[in-house]
Amino acid sequence: MSQALEHRQHIHQLVDQLPSEALEDALQFLEGLSRRALQAGQELELLSIIHRRLASSQQERWESLRQKLELETLTEMEHQELITYSDLLESWNTERVEAVMELAKLRQVDFKVLYQELTPQCNP
């Protein structure tokens, strides 16, 4: 039997032993734990969006293409590749802002403060 299952069974036994006047307190406590666990999962999901980055090889390629753009030495194929990267990064930035907004609501904090804390001030 798994340890989680053993814990659940033990919790059931403890609840069964509670006097009926303590059940409301137990229920509120367990609901609070459940809400915190759900919120923690939501926060992890949002943070993964907020901190998403290109793989290092892709980042190097994107920077190389940007440099070639500045030097006006891009081939047509490289230009299309740069556009693909740029579109992806723009989409990720939109998702990042939305995720920060959602996280600010979950944590009940100011969006601007949280955005400054979580968003790098350098290139994506």
Side-chain angles (χ1 to χ4, degrees):
M1 181 181 317
S2 73
Q3 187 174 15
L5 183 57
E6 288 177 17
H7 287 301
R8 288 179 192 280
Q9 288 177 343
H10 188 229
I11 289 169
H12 284 283
Q13 290 170 352
L14 292 173
V15 169
D16 287 341
Q17 295 171 7
L18 286 175
S20 50
E21 57 272 4
L23 289 176
E24 184 65 32
D25 290 339
L27 181 62
Q28 288 177 2
F29 176 75
L30 290 172
E31 285 174 342
L33 284 177
S34 180
R35 277 192 302 276
R36 285 195 303 270
L38 177 62
Q39 182 174 338
Q42 291 171 327
E43 286 189 15
L44 282 174
E45 186 177 322
L46 293 169
L47 287 168
S48 71
I49 294 169
I50 293 166
H51 295 301
R52 180 174 44 196
R53 300 288 179 263
L54 291 173
S56 59
S57 60
Q58 292 174 315
Q59 180 71 30
E60 290 171 11
R61 179 65 177 155
W62 181 70
E63 289 170 3
S64 170
L65 293 169
R66 286 186 51 200
Q67 186 176 29
K68 284 184 165 194
L69 177 66
E70 289 176 18
L71 298 172
E72 298 180 4
T73 59
L74 273 179
T75 66
E76 181 58 34
M77 185 179 284
E78 289 172 329
H79 187 253
Q80 291 305 314
E81 186 180 2
L82 178 63
I83 289 172
T84 299
Y85 276 119
S86 297
D87 288 347
L88 174 65
L89 292 171
E90 184 177 331
S91 172
W92 282 5
N93 283 332
T94 300
E95 291 174 13
R96 181 177 295 119
V97 171
E98 291 170 352
V100 173
M101 287 172 38
E102 181 87 17
L103 187 58
K105 286 179 191 175
L106 271 176
R107 292 183 178 178
Q108 298 178 350
V109 297
D110 183 67
F111 166 77
K112 289 180 183 178
V113 172
L114 187 60
Y115 184 83
Q116 289 176 340
E117 287 177 16
L118 296 175
T119 303
Q121 301 305 311
C122 59
N123 292 331

